[in-house]
């Protein structure tokens, strides 16, 4: 039986769902964690319920699209996935604004991401194909990253958390590098070339296309810088351990 996707916005329902998940994490799952760890743990918790589901939803929406292209009209399924992610980023943005207002990088990232998703979903109603492909590249590492982050928060207090954090670091860094430093930039180049050629200007205004390019390009640059620093830190820790063994 074919699943019927509604043509109206599901943002309110998804937003309520993520708010409930957030409260469950903050008030029940992690309520005994220290005040310093609680904000990051709560954010990771709702991310666990967004990242991997978003990947499968986005892939399904892309595959089921009759005509795939950078300027193709959004399908109802694609709009549903966009609403799902808009609800998540709105919830997490409110979390940062209330509990971690000084984290300007994450707040800026969420605002920029919401700009891209909202304009694609509610303003131009075209271009979801490219946005969802980029979403897959961004979120395919989400589960591993969230477990790695949660383990890192507790590694000083719980020995097994430290072992999990160290065990996950190389494969997580490798997958993140493959997605954010190679696959993502290659697809971004193709998307940018198409939009800057003006081929999408009939359905996506040039100012929207340029805005998307700036936002996605900046996000990719920050991701490359972030993972590069993590690789250097990992190699430094490994060298220090080798030096200690040699003494």
């Amino acid at each position: 039986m074919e699943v019927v996707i509604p043509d109206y916005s599901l943002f309110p329902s998804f937003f309520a769902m993520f708010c409930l998940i957030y409260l469950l994490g903050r008030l029940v799952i992690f309520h005994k964690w220290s005040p310093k760890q609680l904000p990051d743990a709560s954010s990771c918790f709702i991310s666990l319920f967004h990242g991997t589901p978003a990947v499968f939803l986005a892939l399904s929406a892309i595959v089921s699209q009759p005509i795939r292209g950078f300027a193709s009209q959004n399908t109802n399924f694609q709009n549903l996935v966009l609403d799902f992610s808009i609800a998540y980023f709105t919830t997490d943005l409110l979390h940062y604004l209330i509990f971690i207002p000084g984290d300007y990088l994450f707040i800026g990232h969420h605002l920029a991401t919401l700009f891209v998703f909202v304009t694609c979903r509610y303003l131009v109603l075209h271009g979801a194909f490219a946005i969802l492909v980029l979403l897959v590249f961004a979120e395919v590492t989400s589960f591993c990253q969230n477990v790695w982050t949660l383990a890192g928060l507790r590694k000083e207090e719980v020995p097994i958390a430290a072992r999990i954090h160290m065990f996950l670091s190389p494969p997580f860094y490798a997958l993140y590098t493959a997605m954010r430093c190679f696959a993502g930039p290659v697809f971004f180049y193709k998307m940018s070339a198409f939009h800057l050629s003006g081929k999408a200007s009939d359905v996506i205004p040039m100012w929207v296309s340029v805005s998307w390019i700036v936002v996605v390009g900046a996000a990719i640059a920050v991701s490359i810088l972030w993972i590069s620093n993590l690789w250097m830190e990992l190699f430094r820790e490994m060298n220090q351990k080798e030096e200690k063994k040699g003494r």
Side-chain angles (χ1 to χ4, degrees):
M1 183 176 67
E2 184 179 355
V3 178
V4 178
I5 306 297
D7 58 359
Y8 53 84
S9 175
L10 289 175
F11 168 78
S13 299
F14 287 138
F15 179 64
M17 179 190 75
F18 279 115
C19 286
L20 289 174
I21 292 171
Y22 175 81
L23 291 175
L24 174 66
R26 189 175 185 89
L27 302 179
V28 179
I29 306 297
F30 300 111
H31 74 283
K32 292 184 178 181
W33 287 33
S34 71
K36 184 178 179 181
Q37 299 168 338
L38 184 58
D40 287 334
S42 302
S43 180
C44 282
F45 187 67
I46 57 170
S47 181
L48 283 168
F49 287 87
H50 169 256
T52 302
V55 169
F56 287 107
L57 286 171
L59 287 173
S60 297
I62 292 168
V63 171
S64 64
Q65 187 177 21
I67 301 175
R68 290 188 289 274
F70 292 114
S72 298
Q73 184 176 0
N74 300 354
T75 65
N76 288 342
F77 195 174
Q78 289 175 331
N79 286 334
L80 178 149
V81 181
L82 290 171
D83 281 337
F84 181 74
S85 289
I86 290 170
Y88 159 71
F89 281 106
T90 301
T91 307
D92 205 38
L93 174 62
L94 290 174
H95 159 76
Y96 274 93
L97 289 174
I98 295 171
F99 297 107
I100 321 175
D103 197 333
Y104 302 115
L105 183 61
F106 260 91
I107 291 173
H109 169 270
H110 282 20
L111 286 172
T113 302
L114 282 170
F115 170 80
V116 173
F117 286 175
V118 170
T119 52
C120 179
R121 169 66 175 93
Y122 294 103
L123 180 63
V124 299
L125 302 175
H126 289 73
F129 164 71
I131 303 304
L132 294 185
V133 170
L134 291 169
L135 178 65
V136 170
F137 289 149
E139 298 296 342
V140 74
T141 60
S142 178
F143 178 80
C144 188
Q145 181 173 352
N146 283 307
V147 175
W148 173 83
T149 301
L150 289 170
L153 291 173
R154 301 283 285 178
K155 67 179 182 179
E156 302 298 334
E157 307 157 20
V158 183
I160 191 171
R163 291 195 293 271
I164 292 173
H165 186 265
M166 179 57 67
F167 174 78
L168 286 177
S169 290
F172 163 53
Y173 295 176
L175 180 60
Y176 192 97
T177 300
M179 293 296 106
R180 303 293 187 96
C181 301
F182 294 100
V186 170
F187 185 82
F188 170 67
Y189 171 77
K190 294 180 179 179
M191 183 192 86
S192 301
F194 180 87
H195 281 284
L196 293 177
S197 71
K199 294 179 181 178
S201 57
D202 289 342
V203 292
I204 304 176
M206 184 57 72
W207 71 267
V208 174
S209 294
V210 172
S211 299
W212 289 359
I213 291 170
V214 170
V215 169
V216 175
I220 289 175
V222 171
S223 296
I224 292 173
L225 179 62
W226 183 70
I227 195 64
S228 297
N229 288 333
L230 287 178
W231 275 118
M232 289 189 288
E233 182 179 344
L234 178 63
F235 290 140
R236 185 163 52 248
E237 291 177 357
M238 293 173 63
N239 288 333
Q240 289 175 350
K241 288 183 179 180
E242 289 297 326
E243 291 177 359
K244 289 181 179 179
K245 288 182 180 180
R247 291 176 183 174

